[in-house]
Amino acid sequence: MTEQKNDLMEKITSLAKRRGFVYPSSEIYGGFAAVYDFGPYGVELAKNIREAWWEAMVYDHDNIVGLDSAIFMHPKVWEASGHVGGFSDPLAECKECHARVRVDHLLETAGVFADEKMTEAEINALLAEHETKLKCPKCGKSNFTEAKNFNLLVQSNLGNFTGDWDKEPTYLRGETCQGIYVNFKNVLDSSRVKVPFGIAQIGKAFRNEITARQFIFRKREFEQMEMQYFVRPEEAATTYEEWRQKRFQYYIDLGIKPENLRWHEHENLVFYAKAAWDIEYNFPFGFKELEGVHNRSDYDLTQHSKFSGVDLSYRDPQTNEKYIPWIVETSVGLERTFLAVLTDAYVEEKISDTDTRIVLKFPKKLAPVQVAVFPLMKNKPELVEKAREIFTVLKKDFRCEFDDNGNVGKRYRRQDEIGTPYCVTIDFDTIGQGDSSNAEAGDKSLEGTVTVRDRDTMEQKRVKIEELKKYLR
Ligand code: ATP
């Protein structure tokens, strides 16, 4: 089973590269660990995922508004948030091959629970107790240095021209939500919202992740889609449950198979958190965190009030009551959704004794290309002209691709591998010049029709050009 799953990860990674979804960063220089680029189809899939999330959060709620805060913020933001002091993972080194390992993950492989909230001493006690069972993922030996907490914040010299900037670094944000907290008052003062309300944001985040494996699941530069919902303290628990239900349903509505989703409750809560559950997806390497849904109490606004000296409490316009709102957070990575969608869609189908096809059965809403338009032959100007005409009309309503490379069978395979739900072929019958080698030779009733081929069933149907849009919709 595990072998089959590893195999699946390799197949997905290789398809993603071969078909222009995801490339390793700076590949001609040997790559750059845990950084990846989206290719032509990847950028479309990522855009569709962002749009689906934005629609579900912002457009579907009349009390959630958007924000796009900058990647860089005042360094004090990261002190207030606790990231400068405590945003770390336990790092050890294999004494044999010098590979760096994340000790909580290593302990997990032996069924021992540990997490980043434990102290160094607690982690080292577990490491010592279970060391003989723990194998270095690179060389397989069991000989590690003591674990040390390694801070994940990425530093920079932005705005500092002194040459010793690392004494007072600025940070590339480690999470997008801090930009939401520091703009809480701005949004409140400049828009129509009243508690309860939410602020949604999509943007880049950076973390010096210790282990760079598992493809785009754990990147050092990635994108988060986060929504912070501000509520009255006494309503936080109920609101939290509502958001838990909504977020799980969101993935099912997105087209993810329900059997590949499950809940995981955090065993070790940070001191301010009142509840924390993860939605996990069944990735090729097993069930792992896709999204976190957290009840963060009044911690974030209290911390930023303290560190900035600006009162971030809220005055209820009706009751005049003043309080610091509590926050319910939903936080998901764009790339983890991307990988979940790819994994869920990947199918290998035997279509004859000797032939297998790979298909990405994306939900139609997410497919990078929705309709591919083919002239049967590229060297017949009358076919190409008609196909171009149909393409021009369809591209106003659908994401379309014009494809005239190779034979139609090859084009179907390529479109299957990028997950295109429909292929439309323009042939001689379409233009009233039925070819005598064709079974439907010269059938004038086919004039003005095209062949529409369905990705999932591979069925082909003749559809009248004027009914094509309606049919595809
Ligand atoms: P993990 O335990 O897997 O490191 P986390 O608990 O640190 O994740 P959060 O800080 O809660 O993650 O971030 C919220 C979401 O952001 C995660 O659920 C995940 O989808 C995404 N995310 C976090 N770190 C990364 C990363 N390095 N690469 C890609 N996505 C990430």
Side-chain angles (χ1 to χ4, degrees), residues 263-282:
W263 280 108
H264 167 79
E265 185 176 12
H266 282 217
E267 284 140 83
N268 188 12
L269 289 180
V270 278
F271 69 93
Y272 55 82
K274 297 298 167 204
W277 288 75
D278 294 336
I279 297 174
E280 293 189 334
Y281 178 77
N282 189 13

Side-chain angles (χ1 to χ4, degrees), residues 102 207 209 216-219 222 224 289-292 294 331-333 336:
R102 208 176 128 174
R207 297 183 185 178
E209 296 282 359
I216 57 170
F217 178 82
R218 190 172 300 287
K219 294 168 73 187
F222 59 102
Q224 287 185 314
E289 175 175 342
L290 170 62
E291 163 158 349
H294 309 132
S331 172
V332 56
R336 288 199 190 173

Side-chain angles (χ1 to χ4, degrees), residues 158-404:
L158 188 91
N160 186 320
F161 306 95
T162 63
D164 61 353
W165 55 270
D166 50 343
K167 290 202 185 98
E168 282 179 36
T170 46
Y171 302 98
L172 280 84
R173 65 182 172 200
E175 58 185 22
T176 54
C177 56
Q178 298 301 328
I180 296 182
Y181 307 144
V182 300
N183 277 298
F184 166 74
K185 208 169 147 17
N186 280 338
V187 172
L188 205 56
D189 293 347
S190 60
S191 69
R192 64 197 151 69
V193 292
K194 292 192 196 74
V195 169
F197 75 96
I199 304 179
Q201 168 159 244
I202 301 177
K204 292 266 184 179
F206 301 82
R207 297 183 185 178
N208 246 335
E209 296 282 359
I210 295 167
T211 40
R213 267 176 284 123
Q214 300 171 322
F215 193 36
I216 57 170
F217 178 82
R218 190 172 300 287
K219 294 168 73 187
R220 293 188 177 135
E221 173 184 338
F222 59 102
E223 222 172 300
Q224 287 185 314
M225 305 189 281
E226 297 199 295
M227 194 281 300
Q228 309 292 312
Y229 200 77
F230 302 88
V231 288
R232 294 173 67 85
E234 58 276 23
E235 281 164 15
T238 324
T239 307
Y240 179 71
E241 282 312 314
E242 285 165 10
W243 274 108
R244 259 188 2 111
Q245 302 319 319
K246 273 193 200 184
R247 291 307 298 158
F248 201 87
Q249 188 58 41
Y250 161 82
Y251 290 105
I252 293 167
D253 295 345
L254 199 62
I256 301 280
K257 298 183 189 92
E259 65 270 26
N260 283 334
L261 294 164
R262 73 176 189 196
W263 280 108
H264 167 79
E265 185 176 12
H266 282 217
E267 284 140 83
N268 188 12
L269 289 180
V270 278
F271 69 93
Y272 55 82
K274 297 298 167 204
W277 288 75
D278 294 336
I279 297 174
E280 293 189 334
Y281 178 77
N282 189 13
F283 290 102
F285 36 83
F287 274 97
K288 291 273 180 227
E289 175 175 342
L290 170 62
E291 163 158 349
V293 185
H294 309 132
N295 175 349
R296 300 179 59 92
S297 76
D298 62 358
Y299 177 75
D300 307 289
L301 293 183
T302 305
Q303 284 295 99
H304 286 300
S305 292
K306 254 193 232 160
F307 277 71
S308 66
V310 175
D311 180 11
L312 296 178
S313 56
Y314 175 77
R315 189 177 289 281
D316 188 302
Q318 245 116 51
T319 62
N320 219 21
E321 183 194 355
K322 201 174 161 199
Y323 59 90
I324 297 257
W326 279 35
I327 291 174
V328 171
E329 159 185 82
T330 76
S331 172
V332 56
L334 168 74
E335 291 85 348
R336 288 199 190 173
T337 313
F338 189 110
L339 186 55
V341 168
L342 260 187
T343 308
D344 228 62
Y346 185 93
V347 178
E348 278 175 24
E349 259 174 21
K350 209 167 163 40
I351 47 177
S352 73
D353 285 347
T354 51
D355 209 1
T356 306
R357 70 167 184 153
I358 295 173
V359 204
L360 290 179
K361 294 192 173 177
F362 288 134
K364 289 170 189 161
K365 180 174 162 176
L366 296 181
V369 177
Q370 292 172 313
V371 185
V373 180
F374 308 159
L376 182 67
M377 291 174 186
K378 75 169 173 190
N379 56 358
K380 299 285 173 197
E382 58 278 36
L383 288 180
V384 174
E385 194 187 328
K386 190 73 194 166
R388 284 258 167 228
E389 197 184 292
I390 291 173
F391 171 73
T392 307
V393 172
L394 291 182
K395 78 181 165 69
K396 292 202 175 82
D397 290 40
F398 306 98
R399 291 186 293 275
C400 292
E401 185 171 272
F402 188 87
D403 189 357
D404 60 5

